[in-house]
Amino acid sequence: TEEWRFRLQANDLVMHRTRFIDRPRAVRIVSIGDENGSRVAEVKFFKPSAADGLPSAGALPSFSWEVVHLSAVPLRQFYPLLQEEHGCAHILRAGLAIRDDGARAVLQRPRSVRVQPQCTKGHLLKPEEAKWFSFVQPKTCTVCRNVVGTHEVTHTCAQCDFVLCSSCRHSAAQLPCGGAFSDVLSPDLARAFLGNEDWLTYKAQVYFVKADHNSMGFLDKPKARRVDNRLAAELGVKPLGDSELVQALKEASGALELSESAFQHFFSSAVTRALARLEA
């Protein structure tokens, strides 16, 4: 849902509730801006008010409608207005996004704010200047696998031993739809990844880590199903059927489990297949 909020625009129709216990209401976004470092919006909505005077005997009370404007509404108070019967989603899961055209259309927009560089486990990278012992123990970029220059400023995750060189940081920002670190894969970004083997490998590792939530070191069929559902939601295609998923798993690994290396092939094939379906 947070990624959905980063893609909201003026004129979007959303559900708004100030507190969890409040009844949600449909509002129209008028504008979006920043206030004290937080993204806020101006919205408008219709509010019923009772007409003056008491109704006559046996008559139903009448109401009039007034347009209400609210300003400085935090975007965290917005939720998707879904076409389904319950109408509102507090957590936007892949299954909901697949079924709802409006939610999927928002997720496929470019992100309003670029994501900061992260390692494959989602830790923010920190800038690090070259130290004197870099001459003796040069670093290697995790993405392009090239040796980092001795005077080059890198971005690193000490916890995961992840290193990003300045060249890859620049190339990541040049990719469309929010760049390489965007959490949602749009069709344009997917095509860019397929044309860049280094960033495709990085993104596959990101999806593997997310799917392997209990750190087993492999993905079984249910985990692979979640990956396929997410890719289908992000790229706007139908997920694989059960037999199709089994076939894809066997093509990638020869079994119904995926190691991290086998998942690279599964992920690349899944993205290629989804784009082909999208363009068909």
Side-chain angles (χ1 to χ4, degrees):
T1 307
E2 195 62 28
E3 285 296 324
W4 171 85
R5 292 181 180 123
F6 272 112
R7 289 164 170 78
L8 290 175
Q9 299 175 357
N11 209 41
D12 281 340
L13 193 63
V14 301
M15 296 299 286
H16 169 246
R17 70 189 327 169
T18 304
R19 301 172 301 169
F20 186 76
I21 61 173
D22 294 336
R23 183 179 180 87
R25 60 192 169 202
V27 302
R28 178 81 66 182
I29 297 177
V30 177
S31 63
I32 296 177
D34 290 318
E35 184 176 284
N36 299 323
S38 299
R39 300 179 71 238
V40 297
E42 179 187 354
V43 301
K44 61 181 179 181
F45 58 94
F46 287 105
K47 178 181 178 181
S49 58
D52 294 336
L54 295 174
S56 58
L60 295 174
S62 59
F63 292 88
S64 61
W65 294 87
E66 59 177 316
V67 178
V68 179
H69 287 259
L70 293 179
S71 59
V73 180
L75 263 61
R76 66 176 181 274
Q77 296 178 2
F78 294 153
Y79 300 90
L81 176 61
L82 303 178
Q83 299 169 358
E84 296 187 359
E85 186 175 321
H86 57 269
C88 179
H90 303 294
I91 300 176
L92 187 59
R93 293 188 172 90
L96 290 175
I98 290 171
R99 297 192 298 268
D100 193 88
D101 293 338
R104 187 170 65 246
V106 172
L107 285 173
Q108 290 178 351
R109 293 173 183 168
R111 206 175 191 268
S112 59
V113 179
R114 284 192 178 272
V115 182
Q116 294 301 308
Q118 303 172 2
C119 72
T120 54
K121 292 185 178 180
H123 305 137
L124 292 179
L125 304 184
K126 297 180 180 180
E128 182 177 297
E129 295 186 4
K131 298 181 175 62
W132 65 269
F133 51 81
S134 298
F135 296 93
V136 181
Q137 296 177 322
K139 294 181 179 180
T140 300
C141 177
T142 306
V143 177
C144 67
R145 296 172 293 282
N146 291 328
V147 176
V148 177
T150 53
H151 299 289
E152 184 176 343
V153 175
T154 59
H155 284 70
T156 64
C157 173
Q159 182 178 343
C160 300
D161 196 24
F162 186 97
V163 179
L164 184 70
C165 69
S166 58
S167 177
C168 285
R169 185 168 184 267
H170 176 74
S171 68
Q174 300 307 307
L175 295 180
C177 303
F181 303 106
S182 178
D183 191 49
V184 175
L185 192 63
S186 68
D188 287 341
L189 184 55
R191 294 185 188 95
F193 279 133
L194 290 177
N196 189 314
E197 189 66 29
D198 292 338
W199 282 116
L200 179 64
T201 299
Y202 165 85
K203 185 55 71 171
Q205 291 172 343
V206 170
Y207 275 69
F208 182 87
V209 170
K210 288 180 181 294
D212 188 24
H213 59 88
N214 53 356
S215 302
M216 295 296 293
F218 65 90
L219 303 187
D220 56 15
K221 184 182 172 185
K223 291 180 181 178
R225 165 58 68 196
R226 288 196 289 269
V227 173
D228 184 69
N229 282 347
R230 173 165 177 153
L231 288 174
E234 291 174 334
L235 299 177
V237 297
K238 290 184 178 179
L240 294 177
D242 192 67
S243 61
E244 293 174 312
L245 179 62
V246 170
Q247 181 180 350
L249 288 171
K250 290 183 176 180
E251 288 177 355
S253 67
L256 296 183
E257 292 181 353
L258 296 170
S259 64
E260 187 169 351
S261 58
F263 181 77
Q264 302 275 344
H265 176 72
F266 176 86
F267 181 80
S268 176
S269 298
V271 172
T272 301
R273 182 171 51 247
L275 290 177
R277 288 186 175 187
L278 191 63
E279 294 165 359

